Amino acid sequence: MTVRRALPGDTEAIVAIRNHAIEHSTALWTQTQQSPAEGEAWVAAHLERGSAFVAEVGGETAGFAVYGPWREKDGYRYTVENSVYVRDGMHGLGLGSALLAEVIGSARAAGHHVMVAGIEAQNTASVRLHERFGFRHAGTVPEAGTKFGRWLDLTLMHLPLARTAAHPADQPSV
């Protein structure tokens, strides 16, 4: 297994993994597949930030992970949210752990303060994965979304990336 920064040539494989998750799981709370153009734009935004990674097994893309802004308002600019996806049939090989370690390290190196994970509450494998990396439960929002004809609960988890109380740029001038 190799984990590396994603490249533009990885877009098709990333979109295929994402679309499989859209069609078959509650990991993404939409039933609308990403078109190639939408997928290209989504991946391009992460490539520009340097926040997309892929895991390869035998030369094939077996998973990907990204992090990006948690909310659009500037007060949240030091908080990022992660997403980790492993291709169907490739679970249990440590790919999710390797990818999550990479995005955490990258976000920390980029100066982010907190990483958030929003996980469908019944996805215990993802909750356990995040717990192994030090994420803590921040709360669960009951019936926050719907898919496949049922209500879904959203578990929020967080991981401090930096130990400072406030970012130096936010300190009042003296």
Side-chain angles (χ1 to χ4, degrees):
M1 167 192 16
T2 303
V3 176
R4 61 169 174 77
R5 284 198 186 272
L7 302 168
D10 297 314
T11 300
E12 186 177 337
I14 290 170
V15 173
I17 293 168
R18 244 175 98 84
N19 280 339
H20 186 274
I22 289 169
E23 186 176 353
H24 298 284
S25 78
T26 56
L28 287 153
W29 293 9
T30 181
Q31 292 177 278
T32 304
Q33 299 260 322
Q34 264 190 326
S35 71
E38 290 167 332
E40 186 175 329
W42 184 83
V43 172
H46 287 287
L47 294 177
E48 187 175 318
R49 277 192 299 272
S51 62
F53 300 86
V54 296
E56 293 180 328
V57 174
E60 284 189 49
T61 301
F64 75 91
V66 297
Y67 68 87
W70 185 49
R71 300 273 173 103
E72 291 185 25
K73 304 237 182 328
D74 66 349
Y76 297 109
R77 69 187 169 280
Y78 301 113
T79 301
V80 292
E81 182 175 14
N82 79 77
S83 296
V84 178
Y85 294 91
V86 174
R87 194 175 82 210
D88 192 45
M90 302 297 287
H91 294 92
L93 302 176
L95 298 170
S97 292
L99 286 162
L100 185 55
E102 198 67 36
V103 295
I104 290 170
S106 177
R108 192 171 271 140
H112 294 291
H113 186 70
V114 171
M115 183 172 280
V116 173
I119 304 167
E120 197 276 317
Q122 291 185 16
N123 187 345
T124 56
S126 186
V127 170
R128 283 194 310 267
L129 169 65
H130 284 80
E131 286 174 342
R132 284 196 307 271
F133 281 86
F135 282 78
R136 296 292 171 245
H137 187 264
T140 297
V141 183
E143 299 182 355
T146 184
K147 189 169 181 183
F148 302 139
R150 66 184 177 93
W151 289 106
L152 304 174
D153 298 346
L154 178 66
T155 293
L156 294 172
M157 302 183 78
H158 73 98
L159 176 71
L161 299 171
R163 299 289 176 219
T164 60
H167 194 278
D170 293 333
Q171 298 299 321
S173 58
V174 184

